[in-house]
Amino acid sequence: MGVTDDAIAETVLKTYDALPIKYKPVKATEDFFQWVPLSGVVAVRDDHSPPECLSLGTGMKCLPIDQVARANGAVLHDWHAEIVALRAFNHLLLNECLDLAASPTSLSPIVRRRAPHEMSELSGMQPFSIHEDLRLHMYASEAPCGDASMELLMEAQADPTPWPVEQLHPGTKKLPSPLRGRESFAELGIVRRKPGADSLQPHLLTRADSPQTLSKSCSDKLALKQCTSILTSYTSLLINPANAYLESLIFPESQYVARACDRSFGPEGRMKHVAGRRWPGGYAFRPFRVGTTDREFVYSRRSKPASSKELRTSKVAAVWNPRLRESLVVGRLQGRQRLDPKGASAICSKRMSTTVLQVLAALGTPDLLREISESSRVKAWKQSVLLADRRGVKADVRAKALEGWIRNEGDDFEVNLQ
């Protein structure tokens, strides 16, 4: 018998329990109980090996549209738990690659060097691969926001009246599509976006008037990652995607609605237009299985004690992998001033792109380094021929399965080895 869904969930929950108190919501009082979503990436090698938590994250906010251009790569655009966990996983991968690049004799339990015969002229930019015997799973303490949780959202409303959809135009700070939150309950299977964080009141629950963003829902992002793998664009420059797909997504039974998950992620739902597809570069539509657990997270909203009057969201987002431990507030390190360069998280775009350059420099591959370094701006990086296959997958999926996707652009920054 293989590793159970409960075991995958328990692995993440136990890892989180072991974190110090500064990474967790404040203790419940008579006045309020703070809750926060938790997510984690778990690796399983075989049916006889215990599952291992490779990363986890908590959080449930993202950056408003009008702050993206000022982020300079140093502020997370999205710190929902699933996204934090995936970025922490990619941070781990990049640092495993750095160790392998720095020492030809070193070995990693997660990443291996690719042999010359495995690489084409273009995929030669991906000198690493995740080990073939590593199966990847994700646990989430809540159903992913967006399409996979719309039925739950509707059931939970005391007032079922959807928020009105504002008819706005490009160039404003608010856009009419993709939709977000409670807008248009009757429209299912569509791309939605997340409400933003109020930097002055990050503890408040989401409201109709919360700052608007272009960060797509976790349902949409996870649906896309069934095609692109769970590698970020930065990690995709170094690691072949073939072994970087999730096999399952596990969340509590109380959060599971079969028709919502089938519609959001399944090959017969909105993803039917790319079902069975394969693309160049090792990409394919590889739908994950959605499973459930009876385990509940101690800081879920369902864990609120009757003695606490009010339910509040925690402003602290935790980041963890075996090499990293951070707490974030509004996308930056907790306790750092807004413009302090030392406030950049290790999983922010600026620091992860720097690690890519460090790996390439350590590999001693000047041609590859030159290909990336011809422009010092990250926007040019992402238009590199080396990411052409990945861009093609995303464009195809957005056109056929995830229509209405608007890119969250504007955060272009300089990349260097420092």
Side-chain angles (χ1 to χ4, degrees):
M1 182 178 178
V3 173
T4 65
D5 294 345
D6 285 342
I8 291 170
E10 195 66 32
T11 299
V12 178
L13 293 171
K14 286 183 176 179
T15 303
Y16 181 84
D17 287 345
L19 292 178
I21 195 168
K22 69 171 287 188
Y23 301 96
K24 300 174 180 178
V26 300
K27 188 177 179 180
T29 69
E30 290 185 2
D31 293 325
F32 64 87
F33 171 80
Q34 285 192 347
W35 74 283
V36 70
L38 166 68
S39 189
V41 175
V42 173
V44 177
R45 294 194 180 277
D46 55 56
D47 292 345
H48 307 291
S49 300
E52 177 186 1
C53 185
L54 296 184
S55 71
L56 65 75
T58 64
M60 56 182 303
K61 299 290 184 180
C62 49
L63 204 62
I65 297 170
D66 59 359
Q67 296 183 31
V68 168
R70 292 177 285 168
N72 196 34
V75 182
L76 300 188
H77 296 178
D78 183 345
W79 54 97
H80 278 225
E82 296 93 330
I83 308 308
V84 172
L86 290 174
R87 293 186 75 88
F89 173 69
N90 278 266
H91 171 274
L92 176 63
L93 293 179
L94 287 176
N95 281 274
E96 293 290 309
C97 291
L98 185 57
D99 285 352
L100 292 177
S103 173
T105 59
S106 64
L107 298 174
S108 163
I110 304 168
V111 176
R112 67 171 178 84
R113 301 175 184 84
R114 296 176 78 199
H117 72 271
E118 296 180 85
M119 298 182 283
S120 68
E121 182 176 348
L122 283 181
S123 67
M125 191 56 193
Q126 298 168 328
F128 303 103
S129 172
I130 293 175
H131 284 296
E132 285 76 5
D133 65 344
L134 214 61
R135 291 171 288 158
L136 300 174
H137 305 264
M138 173 171 267
Y139 162 78
S141 64
E142 308 285 335
C145 66
D147 195 50
S149 58
M150 287 308 295
E151 282 85 348
L152 292 169
L153 183 61
M154 287 185 269
E155 291 174 5
Q157 301 305 316
D159 174 8
T161 305
W163 294 341
V165 180
E166 299 179 73
Q167 298 301 315
L168 302 166
H169 303 281
T172 66
K173 294 179 181 178
K174 296 183 179 181
L175 299 170
S177 179
L179 301 175
R180 67 183 179 101
R182 295 173 58 192
E183 293 172 354
S184 298
F185 284 159
E187 295 188 57
L188 301 175
I190 63 172
V191 172
R192 294 180 178 269
R193 55 189 166 130
K194 302 169 181 175
D198 187 329
S199 60
L200 299 178
Q201 303 180 84
H203 66 283
L204 292 180
L205 289 167
T206 296
R207 303 185 309 265
D209 61 348
S210 59
Q212 290 208 10
T213 81
L214 282 180
S215 289
K216 270 58 66 180
S217 75
C218 290
S219 292
D220 300 322
K221 290 184 176 183
L222 290 172
L224 179 61
K225 290 185 183 300
Q226 294 182 121
C227 303
T228 62
S229 84
I230 60 173
L231 302 180
T232 66
S233 58
Y234 306 111
T235 318
S236 297
L237 289 166
L238 299 174
I239 300 177
N240 185 270
N243 302 324
Y245 288 84
L246 290 176
E247 289 206 358
S248 72
L249 172 64
I250 312 301
F251 50 84
E253 293 173 2
S254 63
Q255 296 294 286
Y256 176 68
V257 178
R259 64 181 179 277
C261 293
D262 292 343
R263 180 184 65 238
S264 188
F265 307 122
E268 296 181 359
R270 61 179 178 171
M271 303 302 288
K272 65 184 178 183
H273 301 293
V274 294
R277 283 296 307 274
R278 291 185 174 275
W279 295 271
Y283 294 101
F285 174 59
R286 291 174 54 180
F288 46 69
R289 176 184 63 84
V290 178
T292 63
T293 177
D294 61 4
R295 309 305 199 264
E296 285 282 3
F297 180 39
V298 68
Y299 292 107
S300 82
R301 53 186 160 187
R302 296 170 298 284
S303 299
K304 174 183 172 292
S307 57
S308 294
K309 299 175 184 177
E310 184 183 350
L311 187 66
R312 292 185 181 180
T313 58
S314 173
K315 68 178 182 179
V316 176
V319 185
W320 179 92
N321 68 37
R323 292 171 172 259
L324 176 68
R325 197 166 65 185
E326 292 181 340
S327 60
L328 312 180
V329 175
V330 196
R332 297 176 61 82
L333 293 179
Q334 184 177 19
R336 292 288 182 180
Q337 295 297 317
R338 184 177 181 82
L339 299 178
D340 184 352
K342 294 182 180 180
S345 166
I347 64 171
C348 74
S349 294
K350 196 174 189 71
R351 291 186 62 182
M352 291 177 76
S353 59
T354 296
T355 305
V356 172
L357 288 183
Q358 292 171 340
V359 173
L360 294 177
L363 283 172
T365 50
D367 291 342
L368 301 180
L369 187 59
R370 190 181 312 113
E371 175 69 34
I372 288 297
S373 303
E374 283 185 353
S375 173
S376 62
R377 310 296 297 184
V378 76
K379 186 175 181 179
W381 270 39
K382 293 187 176 183
Q383 295 302 313
S384 165
V385 66
L386 300 167
L387 290 175
D389 288 341
R390 189 174 188 273
R391 287 197 306 274
V393 175
K394 294 173 75 172
D396 197 25
V397 177
R398 289 169 179 171
K400 296 177 179 176
L402 299 175
E403 296 176 86
W405 189 295
I406 298 177
R407 296 176 65 186
N408 196 11
E409 297 181 307
D411 189 5
D412 190 22
F413 55 91
E414 186 172 353
V415 183
N416 53 57
L417 276 167
Q418 302 304 316

